[in-house]
């Protein structure tokens, strides 16, 4: 403790013990020499991840001219995101490669759709660009802050760090609802450009006579999208504070080492 009663930053310079550092060259050699029976690339959840990538690629291929095929491939790819993690835990095949593959697929798939929406709704291009930047920045900084603090997974967030992120990552139903609702909003925006036929609510509500079913879906899912991006902002801010805290602890430790040398 310091004189004012606060924790000494240099005292925080310790590894949590949850990660053992492996030399990069050793890791490459291990990956090259892995056997068929223990090939992480061929783990079932990772095969599901590759399927997600293929489906995402198909959705991008059909995006500009076949909305039904595009939506089907995109939705299945997103739904498989809820399956691979459960399969990994059930088969004892959790892996860092799988976790990163899952996150990268999520980020790239959503970003590609937002790029298309930017061209479809040019007046809102800046909004879509902001959402892409926020999504990438918050997840990258969160992942990096998890690594430098010795966490095995970016989802292992304690309530002491952030109650919002703890509830978001540790409750599977909340995580699925927020992610699914967010994607549903973007898919609805995509389909709004293709579906022009009203669903007939004008019979009961005259002011809704021109409402299409994608617009109907977009209205409630928009609130989920807003909530999801608020969480992204919280994640970005908390990760920034963690990285700054690590910097302060390292600098304090370096000063102590220098003082002992002198």
């Amino acid at each position: 403790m310091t004189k004012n009663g606060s924790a000494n930053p240099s005292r925080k310079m310790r590894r949590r013990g949850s990660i053992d550092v492996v030399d990069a060259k050793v890791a490459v050699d291990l990956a090259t020499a892995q056997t068929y029976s223990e090939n992480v690339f061929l783990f079932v959840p990772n095969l599901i991840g590759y399927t997600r990538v293929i489906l995402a690629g198909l959705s991008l291929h059909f995006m500009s001219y076949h909305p039904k095929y595009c939506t089907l491939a995109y939705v299945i790819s997103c739904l498989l995101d809820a399956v691979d993690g459960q399969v990994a835990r059930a088969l004892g095949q959790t892996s860092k490669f799988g976790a990163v593959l899952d996150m990268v697929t999520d980020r790239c798939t959503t970003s590609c759709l937002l790029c298309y929406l930017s061209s479809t709704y040019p007046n809102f291009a800046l909004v879509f660009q902001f959402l892409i930047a926020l999504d990438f920045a918050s997840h990258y900084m969160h992942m990096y802050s998890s690594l430098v603090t010795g966490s095995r997974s970016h989802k292992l967030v304690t309530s002491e760090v952030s109650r919002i992120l703890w509830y978001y990552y540790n409750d599977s139903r909340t995580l699925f609802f927020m992610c699914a609702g967010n994607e549903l909003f973007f898919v609805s925006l995509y389909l709004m450009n293709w579906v022009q036929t009203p669903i007939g609510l004008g019979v009961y509500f005259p002011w809704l006579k021109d409402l299409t079913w994608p617009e109907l879906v977009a209205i409630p899912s928009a609130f989920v999208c807003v909530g999801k991006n608020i969480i992204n902002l919280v994640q970005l801010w908390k990760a920034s504070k963690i990285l700054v805290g690590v910097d302060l602890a390292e600098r304090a430790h370096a000063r102590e080492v220098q003082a002992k040398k002198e």
Side-chain angles (χ1 to χ4, degrees):
M1 301 290 287
T2 58
K3 292 181 179 179
N4 60 8
S6 61
N8 189 333
S10 64
R11 300 282 185 182
K12 302 298 182 181
M13 290 296 298
R14 59 184 178 83
R15 181 169 293 278
R16 287 185 177 180
S18 60
I19 284 185
D20 294 322
V21 177
V22 179
D23 181 78
K25 179 59 170 60
V26 174
V28 170
D29 291 340
L30 287 172
T32 303
Q34 61 188 331
T35 62
Y36 180 79
S37 61
E38 186 68 8
N39 193 322
V40 176
F41 287 123
L42 298 180
F43 278 3
V44 174
N46 294 340
L47 295 178
I48 295 175
Y50 307 147
T51 303
R52 290 190 62 208
V53 173
I54 294 172
L55 288 170
L58 286 174
S59 71
L60 296 177
H61 173 72
F62 291 119
M63 193 168 285
S64 62
Y65 69 95
H66 207 304
K68 290 184 180 179
Y69 288 168
C70 169
T71 302
L72 182 63
Y74 192 92
V75 169
I76 294 176
S77 177
C78 290
L79 289 176
L80 286 177
D81 184 29
V83 175
D84 55 4
Q86 295 181 4
V87 171
R89 288 185 289 273
L91 298 179
Q93 294 184 342
T94 57
S95 64
K96 294 178 177 61
F97 170 74
V100 175
L101 174 65
D102 187 56
M103 176 181 285
V104 170
T105 302
D106 290 341
R107 306 285 74 75
C108 292
T109 303
T110 304
S111 296
C112 289
L113 177 56
L114 290 177
C115 286
Y116 181 86
L117 294 178
S118 295
S119 62
T120 303
Y121 305 101
N123 291 336
F124 297 94
L126 188 61
V127 175
F128 295 126
Q129 291 167 352
F130 169 76
L131 293 178
I132 293 172
L134 175 61
D135 195 35
F136 269 101
S138 67
H139 282 85
Y140 177 82
M141 291 189 70
H142 178 63
M143 176 71 83
Y144 192 80
S145 67
S146 298
L147 289 174
V148 299
T149 53
S151 178
R152 285 190 176 274
S153 171
H154 66 283
K155 293 183 179 180
L156 297 178
V157 181
T158 64
S159 59
E160 296 175 344
V161 174
S162 171
R163 289 187 178 275
I164 294 176
L165 295 181
W166 175 82
Y167 189 74
Y168 173 71
Y169 279 118
N170 287 274
D171 187 284
S172 58
R173 293 167 298 181
T174 300
L175 183 62
F176 176 80
F177 175 78
M178 297 301 295
C179 293
N182 186 59
E183 295 296 337
L184 186 61
F185 176 67
F186 295 142
V187 171
S188 298
L189 291 182
Y190 167 72
L191 290 173
M192 281 167 53
N193 186 52
W194 297 91
V195 179
Q196 308 298 331
T197 305
I199 55 179
L201 290 179
V203 177
Y204 309 100
F205 308 100
W207 61 90
L208 298 178
K209 62 184 180 65
D210 296 324
L211 190 71
T212 64
W213 72 262
E215 292 173 337
L216 181 63
V217 173
I219 293 172
S221 59
F223 293 98
V224 181
C225 179
V226 171
K228 176 68 167 62
N229 284 283
I230 289 175
I231 291 174
N232 281 346
L233 285 171
V234 172
Q235 184 170 255
L236 179 65
W237 175 238
K238 289 295 182 178
S240 300
K241 292 182 71 174
I242 290 172
L243 292 174
V244 168
V246 170
D247 284 334
L248 292 172
E250 289 179 345
R251 291 172 66 85
H253 179 70
R255 285 195 296 269
E256 284 194 359
V257 172
Q258 183 63 32
K260 289 179 180 179
K261 290 181 179 180
E262 295 175 354

